[in-house]
Amino acid sequence: MTTRTLAIVSAGLSQPSATRLLADQLAAATRGELAGRGETVDLRHVVLREHAHEVTNNLITGFPAESLRAVLDTVTGADGLIAVTPIFNASYNGLFKSFFDLIEADALTDRPVLIAATGGTARHSLALEHAVRPLFAYLHAVVVPTSVFAAPEDWASGEADAGLRSRIDRAAAELAEQVHRRPVSTGPADPFALTTNFEELLGRREP
């Protein structure tokens, strides 16, 4: 049985967090979909509020702390990614954007991504399409068609109502299918690895 890694990034600032709750439900649904395809899943949660100071320091100094480097490697080395942000002022929050600003160019190329968000009103749901999806398109990730937005009225006693549950299940199935059809990830790319040989670097050509 193949084991897949799934990184779940949640950018909620409060605790408890509706953003984390949505992330957990998306992760559980995706794990169930992959299990139905004969694969086990290693869920790796990244709660950005726990790394906020390290993210800021990295932006200022240009160098990540060892613990933040491990988090970045978790995200870039996973088979799939679930990214969930609260919506502030019609866009992702600053912590979410700052974290993904630290992702190296092309590190998420062809990586399946499920995007989701929470907000105080359903009117914020369009931010997923005009802000979050373009961010991951720029990073060359493969964003699944269904994005998931959850407003306060979508939760019934802490559980997703029928409409939200349907969106969660549909998006999870799309992410699982994208992950399943790809080779197992070999981990984050080595930034110091040579991408060409010395002969090519020297401009030599074979006769």
Side-chain angles (χ1 to χ4, degrees):
M1 182 175 286
T2 304
T3 298
R4 300 287 191 164
T5 57
L6 190 64
I8 305 99
V9 175
S10 56
L13 301 180
S14 60
Q15 195 174 20
S17 166
T19 302
R20 174 62 191 270
L21 177 61
L22 178 59
D24 288 347
Q25 298 216 7
L26 288 165
T30 305
R31 179 171 56 187
E33 290 286 344
L34 283 167
R37 292 165 170 78
E39 298 187 310
T40 58
V41 181
D42 178 11
L43 298 179
R44 300 181 180 180
H45 291 274
V46 176
V47 181
L48 292 186
R49 71 186 300 273
E50 298 174 358
H51 304 281
H53 293 294
E54 295 172 350
V55 169
T56 301
N57 289 339
N58 191 169
L59 289 170
I60 295 170
T61 66
F63 298 96
E66 183 177 348
S67 55
L68 180 59
R69 178 76 268 168
V71 169
L72 293 168
D73 287 346
T74 291
V75 172
T76 59
D79 290 289
L81 170 64
I82 295 172
V84 191
T85 178
I87 300 301
F88 294 166
N89 296 327
S91 188
Y92 36 64
N93 73 0
L95 181 57
F96 185 86
K97 179 59 163 61
S98 295
F99 177 77
F100 283 101
D101 281 346
L102 303 179
I103 298 293
E104 295 172 359
D106 299 324
L108 292 180
T109 296
D110 200 40
R111 193 64 42 82
V113 178
L114 190 168
I115 58 173
T118 58
T121 170
R123 290 176 297 182
H124 289 310
S125 62
L126 290 177
L128 278 165
E129 302 305 321
H130 73 65
V132 184
R133 189 178 295 274
L135 169 65
F136 287 100
Y138 177 82
L139 293 171
H140 306 295
V142 177
V143 185
V144 301
T146 301
S147 57
V148 180
F149 183 86
E153 60 266 25
D154 292 317
W155 303 103
S157 302
E159 295 295 330
D161 67 13
L164 177 57
R165 183 77 256 164
S166 175
R167 298 194 298 276
I168 289 172
D169 291 342
R170 183 168 64 249
E174 292 169 356
L175 179 62
E177 181 58 30
Q178 289 292 331
V179 169
H180 180 67
R181 67 172 58 178
R182 286 169 167 75
V184 175
S185 174
T186 57
D190 181 357
F192 302 106
L194 290 175
T195 58
T196 186
N197 58 43
F198 285 110
E199 287 76 15
E200 291 172 334
L201 288 172
L202 295 171
R204 293 173 57 183
R205 298 290 184 270
E206 292 293 331

